[in-house]
Amino acid sequence: MIEVNNLTLFGKSHNLRLDIPALKFYSPGITALVGHNGAGKSSLLRLMSGLEKSNTGLVSYLGKDIFKDFESLKEKIHLISWNLELYQGLTTKDHLKLIKSVSKNWSVEIENALLKDLSVPPDKRIDKLSRGEQVRFRLLLSLPRKPMVILLDEVTNELDTDSRRIIFKKLDSYSYDTGAQVVVATNMIEDIERYATDIILLKKGKVILQGALDNIKEEHKTNFEEIIRIYERKDLQL
Amino acid sequence: MISTFMFLFKQYWSFFLLCVIGTAFGIYYGGIWSFLPFMFLLLFFYEWNIAPRKERTWSFIESLPLSFNKRFIIRVILPLSISIIIIFLLTFFKKNKELDFLISISDAVRISSLFVLSSILARSLSGFFAWIIFTYFLSYLMSNYFLYEFVVFILSLFLSYYSLSEKRASKIKTLVVPVFISMILLVSGNLLRVKIYELCLSVPYYNLQITVAKSLLKERAFIGKDISVELLWNRNDSMTEPLKVVIPSHYNDKLLEKMENVILKENYCTQICHVLGDLVSNYSKNWNQERLEKYLNSERVTEQIYALRVLEGSSQIMYLPRILQLVKSPEDEVSAMAIEVLRKWGDIDLYQFPSNPIF
C-alpha cells in the first residue's frame, strides 16, 4: 500500500505544488484522483512512481521510501503517462520484444489475455497508433510484468467511451485478481461513477476530500459531480 | 542488454552511420574534413542523451527492468566508447602527422569524457555547448599537471553517475571521494612524476618508452637543479682562461642509462639522441666512462654518434685511437663528428701528442 506522510513539494518558482499531511491508497479497486488542471495530480503521481523527490515528507510503499528505493520498486510501481513517451519511429513489436527479453517475470498468460481483449495491433509504428491504441498498448507493456501499483496520469481523458470502458474493465479485473492498487487521474465523472471505488479530490495541492465513493455518495445523497461542486465551493468559502 | 542495444541501434542507426562515414572522410581527406566527424559526434551525443530527455522517450528505457548500472553503461559508457574510438582514429591517422598512440589515446579519452559529461548535465543543445566549453576550460586549468587526463576521465564518470542517479547515489561515494582521490592523484603524480616516468621506461612498449624518455630529457630529470662550476687551469699555460666544468648537485646515472637504452634503440641518431648527447657532454665530471667507451666501441652508428657527441664536451683527449678509427668510418656523419671532436681537442693541447697526420 502506498502511504503519503507530511508531504510538501515546491515548484521551480517556489510555489507550493503539494501539501498533503497524510494520505493512504487502498487496494484492490480503482482510486480516482480528481482535480482541476494544476491541482497537483500529475505531481502526486510522479512522486508516487519515484520519478520525483518531495521537498519534505515521505511517499512510501510497504515502508520503503519510493524515491530512494526507486531501482528496487520500479518493477512494482508503473506509471502510464503522456509525459513518458515511446519511440515513435519503432513498432509495437519492437517495444514488446524488448520488454519481454529484459523482464524476469513476464506473464505470458496475462499477455495473451490482453492481446485478445485489448486488440492491440501486433506490428504497427507507434506514431501510427491512435490514442486509444497507444493507451491499450501501454497497458500491454505493463500488466504482464505484474505490477502491484498502476498509476494512470490522465491518459484516458481523450478516449472514446468504448476504449475507456475496455481499459477500466481490464484494470478493475486486474486489480481484483492480483490485489494491485490502481490510481487513475481523471476528470471524467462518468468513469469515476462507474469504475472508481475510492476518490481523492485535490485542489491547489491539497486534499479536500478522500474516501470510498459509495460512502461519500450516501453521506451527501447526491451524484458525484454535485459532491465535487459542494467541496469546491466549501473550499472557496473557507 | 543485447536486446536493449539492438533496440537502440534500430532507433539511432542513422547517427552511427553518420559518425562512421564522417570519420572515414576525416581520416582520408584530413584538413577541414576532420571537423566533420566532430560535428557528427556532437550530434550523436545530443540525440543519445539530450533529445530523449526533451522528447521524454528515455523514460521508456528508464522504466525497463534494467539495473541502474546497466542504464549507466547504455547512457555513458557506450557513447563514451564510441567517441573514444572515433577521436582516437582521427588523431592517430591525422594526415602528415606522426602517428602517436599515447597522445591520441589520451586526447580521445579526455575529450570524450567531457562530451559525455556535458551531454548528461545539459538540458538543451545550447546547454550542451555551454557545458562543453565550461568543462573544457576547467580541464585546461589542470593541463599543467601530470596525469590530468586520467583525473578528467574519473571525475567525468563519477559526476555523470551522480547526475544520472537523480542524486539518489551517495554524495560522499560519488562526489567527495572521487574529487579527493583526484586531488591526491594530481599532487602525488606531480611529486612522483620522475619516478613514474622511470618505471614507464621499463614497460616493454616502445612508443611509451620514447615518449617518457623525451619528457625526462625535456625536464633534464637525471641532473639536479643546482649546479656548480669548477675551473680547470691549463698546467702548461697560465695565460689562457681556465676551462669551466659544470657539476650538478645530483646526477642519476642509472636513470640516464635507462634513457640511453631507449633513445639509442633507433637505427640512426635522432634529434632526441643529439639533444641528449649535447646535454650529457656538459657534465664531463659525471660521465660513466665504462659505458661511454662501450658506446664508442660499438658497431652501431647510433651509439657511435652519441658517444662522439658526448665527447665533444671533454676537456681532455680521450679514446684517441678509436676516434681516429671512426674518422675513417664509411658513415659520413660518424666521420664528420669524429673530425669535429679531434678539431676541438686540437685547440686544447697541441703539444701533448705528435702532430696529427689528418691535419
Side-chain angles (χ1 to χ4, degrees), chain B residues 19 65 73 97 101 128 140 153 207 245 248 326 349:
Chain B
C19 287
I73 290 172
K97 290 262 173 146
F101 182 83
F128 181 40
Y140 175 73
F153 175 66
N207 207 303
V245 178
L326 290 176
D349 192 341

Side-chain angles (χ1 to χ4, degrees), chain B residues 35-136:
Chain B
F35 283 107
L36 206 63
F38 273 105
M39 276 167 43
F40 290 148
L41 201 53
L42 288 172
L43 187 64
F44 171 72
F45 273 109
Y46 174 78
E47 282 297 327
W48 192 262
N49 279 334
I50 300 172
R53 195 184 286 119
K54 290 175 82 168
E55 292 157 14
R56 301 180 295 253
T57 46
W58 203 270
S59 51
F60 173 70
I61 303 292
E62 301 274 306
S63 69
L64 292 176
L66 292 171
S67 65
F68 175 75
N69 288 340
K70 284 183 180 165
R71 296 203 313 276
F72 181 75
I73 290 172
I74 294 170
R75 288 194 72 180
V76 174
I77 306 298
L78 176 64
L80 177 72
S81 309
I82 291 169
S83 177
I84 287 174
I85 292 169
I86 288 172
I87 297 176
F88 169 75
L89 289 173
L90 276 173
T91 49
F92 189 66
F93 291 111
K94 228 172 176 175
K95 281 177 98 63
N96 305 322
K97 290 262 173 146
E98 197 184 283
L99 301 179
D100 196 316
F101 182 83
L102 285 170
I103 291 177
S104 301
I105 252 295
S106 70
D107 280 347
V109 167
R110 179 174 51 88
I111 295 170
S112 304
S113 304
L114 298 178
F115 279 178
V116 84
L117 175 63
S118 302
S119 73
I120 294 293
L121 295 174
R123 294 282 181 264
S124 65
L125 185 62
S126 54
F128 181 40
F129 288 131
W131 274 114
I132 288 174
I133 293 167
F134 179 66
T135 52
Y136 205 86

Side-chain angles (χ1 to χ4, degrees), chain A residues 50-52 67-68 70-71 74-75 82-91 94-95 98-99 101-104 141 145, chain B residues 1 3-5 7-8 10-12 52 55-68 71 165-168:
Chain A
L51 293 178
E52 234 179 285
F67 180 77
K68 274 199 187 130
F70 174 74
E71 294 298 325
K74 69 174 183 178
E75 264 302 88
W82 294 125
N83 283 328
L84 308 176
E85 287 288 347
L86 301 174
Y87 285 85
Q88 301 293 308
L90 298 179
T91 64
D94 294 324
H95 286 78
L98 173 62
I99 281 215
S101 65
V102 298
S103 295
K104 290 187 185 110
L141 292 178
R145 289 152 68 187
Chain B
M1 281 291 276
S3 50
T4 315
F5 287 140
F7 179 86
L8 290 169
K10 209 170 174 179
Q11 171 73 12
Y12 293 108
E55 292 157 14
R56 301 180 295 253
T57 46
W58 203 270
S59 51
F60 173 70
I61 303 292
E62 301 274 306
S63 69
L64 292 176
L66 292 171
S67 65
F68 175 75
R71 296 203 313 276
S165 75
E166 303 285 337
K167 300 175 192 172
R168 291 187 181 95

Side-chain angles (χ1 to χ4, degrees), chain A residues 51-66:
Chain A
L51 293 178
E52 234 179 285
K53 188 177 191 282
S54 58
N55 291 97
T56 64
L58 183 65
V59 183
S60 61
Y61 175 74
L62 298 178
K64 284 184 180 179
D65 185 329
I66 294 178

Side-chain angles (χ1 to χ4, degrees), chain B residues 189-348:
Chain B
N190 279 278
L191 288 174
L192 300 170
R193 187 177 45 204
V194 172
K195 280 273 176 242
I196 294 170
Y197 279 157
E198 201 176 329
L199 276 168
C200 292
L201 285 174
S202 313
V203 173
Y205 175 56
Y206 186 68
N207 207 303
L208 172 66
Q209 288 175 329
I210 198 71
T211 305
V212 160
K214 279 182 193 168
S215 302
L216 284 167
L217 179 57
K218 197 173 162 189
E219 291 188 37
R220 302 181 172 202
F222 62 94
I223 48 178
K225 298 274 184 274
D226 299 321
I227 54 169
S228 57
V229 176
E230 193 178 293
L231 299 174
L232 276 182
W233 295 93
N234 190 335
R235 279 172 294 180
N236 300 325
D237 181 2
S238 58
M239 299 303 287
T240 54
E241 272 190 40
L243 283 171
K244 290 179 187 165
V245 178
V246 179
I247 302 170
S249 56
H250 165 70
Y251 190 90
N252 189 339
D253 189 60
K254 278 197 163 47
L255 177 58
L256 174 62
E257 190 182 358
K258 286 182 183 173
M259 287 167 67
E260 285 168 353
N261 287 342
V262 170
I263 291 168
L264 302 181
K265 250 189 210 169
E266 298 274 6
N267 293 331
Y268 63 98
C269 191
T270 57
Q271 199 229 347
I272 186 178
C273 162
H274 282 284
V275 169
L276 181 62
D278 274 337
L279 182 61
V280 173
S281 70
N282 292 318
Y283 307 102
S284 52
K285 282 273 181 182
N286 301 92
W287 292 343
N288 184 312
Q289 304 277 351
E290 200 182 305
R291 205 164 71 240
L292 187 59
E293 194 177 353
K294 187 190 94 180
Y295 289 144
L296 196 64
N297 292 335
S298 161
E299 295 303 317
R300 291 187 67 232
V301 168
T302 314
E303 287 173 358
Q304 289 169 359
I305 293 173
Y306 174 72
L308 287 168
R309 183 61 100 191
V310 170
L311 283 171
E312 276 183 4
S314 174
S315 54
Q316 57 195 21
I317 296 168
M318 298 168 75
Y319 313 115
L320 185 60
R322 178 57 179 164
I323 293 175
L324 289 171
Q325 259 186 343
L326 290 176
V327 166
K328 297 173 204 168
S329 166
E331 292 291 332
D332 291 339
E333 197 179 353
V334 173
S335 163
M337 283 191 74
I339 294 170
E340 189 60 38
V341 167
L342 288 173
R343 279 207 181 109
K344 275 194 178 162
W345 287 345
D347 291 340
I348 291 166

